[in-house]
Amino acid sequence: VSDSRGRFALSGLRAGQFALTARRSGYALAQQEETLAGDRVVDLGSLPLERGIRLRGKVLDRSGNARGGVTVRFFGPDPSSLVPIEERTTAPDGTFDGPLLASGRYRVQVWSARLLLHQAIDVPTGQNERPLELTAGGVHLTGLVTRAGEPVEGGSLSLQSSLEPSDSRGKIVISSADDGTFRLGFPETRLTADVGKDGAFEVFDAPSGALRVDFSGNDGAAPVTRTVDVPDGPEASLTVEVSGQPLRGRLTN
């Protein structure tokens, strides 16, 4: 905690790279990257605090309905930043109040069961508030799983975007008693659904575009993977045929 003149001292730090963060009520969060080397005293200079610009926003789905209970996360402009500066959960009417941010460019994400939205926003100077309306919602997807044209009897399927970013990343899980669990490199777009005895399934907030569908039936057959295309709209329906085509051949030397 800084003294009456704003001064502070931190001791016991090892050499390395650090993010210095300062908070004060009524001000925007201030952050500064520092690299410390060797056993010596380092003067970090002044860390300026800006009067915060309050973000007041609302999250809607594709049909214009409020989305309550979703998480809105704010990140700095650096795409490699994985830890949010601030986050809020929307009220039942889809609104959220705050956070206070300094002027500049930020990235905002909206999460529910998966990542629903990721976009850049600008917070201009000379304002006390910045209204923000976000449209974040996937496709309400209904479908039928068939084998040789006939509905399958039960099973489960998972689907994810064919451009799933985690497919090109390593996987890491860091857990601590104080900060909970941090996961990196795991699917951001994957959803699962049960397939009924009539072969029908339903998925809310499915991503649009090319999807990879993995189906496992209750009959002990090997899992099947298919690629489907989901149109970009509020609702869509599709049929997933899992019988495939027989492949016969002969190996020769």
Side-chain angles (χ1 to χ4, degrees):
V1 178
S2 59
D3 62 19
S4 59
R5 298 177 60 184
R7 298 176 303 182
F8 64 90
L10 299 171
S11 60
L13 298 176
R14 298 181 179 180
Q17 187 171 359
F18 295 86
L20 180 66
T21 302
R23 297 177 183 269
R24 187 184 183 189
S25 178
Y27 288 79
L29 182 75
Q31 288 188 315
Q32 181 174 308
E33 298 288 335
E34 295 291 343
T35 300
L36 306 181
D39 298 328
R40 58 189 176 88
V41 177
V42 178
D43 184 357
L44 300 178
S46 298
L47 183 64
L49 290 172
E50 283 190 37
R51 285 284 183 183
I53 301 168
R54 181 176 296 277
L55 270 65
R56 296 185 187 273
K58 188 171 187 177
V59 181
L60 306 173
D61 64 15
R62 292 169 180 254
S63 300
N65 301 313
R67 295 212 60 157
V70 297
T71 301
V72 185
R73 295 174 178 165
F74 297 90
F75 297 81
D78 183 359
S80 65
S81 175
L82 300 172
V83 179
I85 298 171
E86 298 277 2
E87 68 177 46
R88 293 290 187 273
T89 300
T90 58
D93 62 355
T95 60
F96 62 91
D97 187 5
L100 293 173
L101 296 178
S103 58
R105 192 166 181 82
Y106 297 87
R107 294 179 296 123
V108 60
Q109 293 183 351
V110 179
W111 284 81
S112 182
R114 69 169 182 88
L115 178 64
L116 298 174
L117 176 70
H118 187 170
Q119 71 178 52
I121 61 169
D122 290 305
V123 178
T125 59
Q127 297 183 4
N128 294 324
E129 292 187 4
R130 161 72 154 91
L132 185 63
E133 185 173 282
L134 303 172
T135 300
V139 181
H140 179 193
L141 181 64
T142 57
L144 187 68
V145 180
T146 61
R147 180 177 284 113
E150 297 296 326
V152 300
E153 294 186 5
S156 63
L157 61 81
S158 67
L159 55 86
Q160 69 179 46
S161 172
S162 295
L163 300 177
E164 168 62 49
S166 69
D167 287 346
S168 60
R169 298 176 183 165
K171 308 291 189 286
I172 186 171
V173 179
I174 303 174
S175 298
S176 72
D178 296 330
D179 299 324
T181 300
F182 174 77
R183 298 175 182 270
L184 172 64
F186 289 86
E188 300 174 352
T189 61
R190 179 176 294 172
L191 292 170
T192 60
D194 293 327
V195 178
K197 292 184 178 181
D198 59 353
F201 66 89
E202 183 176 26
V203 177
F204 294 92
D205 283 329
S208 59
L211 305 185
R212 191 183 78 197
V213 177
D214 297 306
F215 171 75
S216 296
N218 293 334
D219 55 3
V224 175
T225 298
R226 294 287 181 266
T227 300
V228 299
D229 189 69
V230 176
D232 187 9
E235 298 181 355
S237 180
L238 58 84
T239 299
V240 180
E241 172 59 46
V242 297
S243 63
Q245 298 293 327
L247 180 63
R248 297 182 177 88
R250 184 168 63 93
L251 296 178
T252 61
N253 56 21

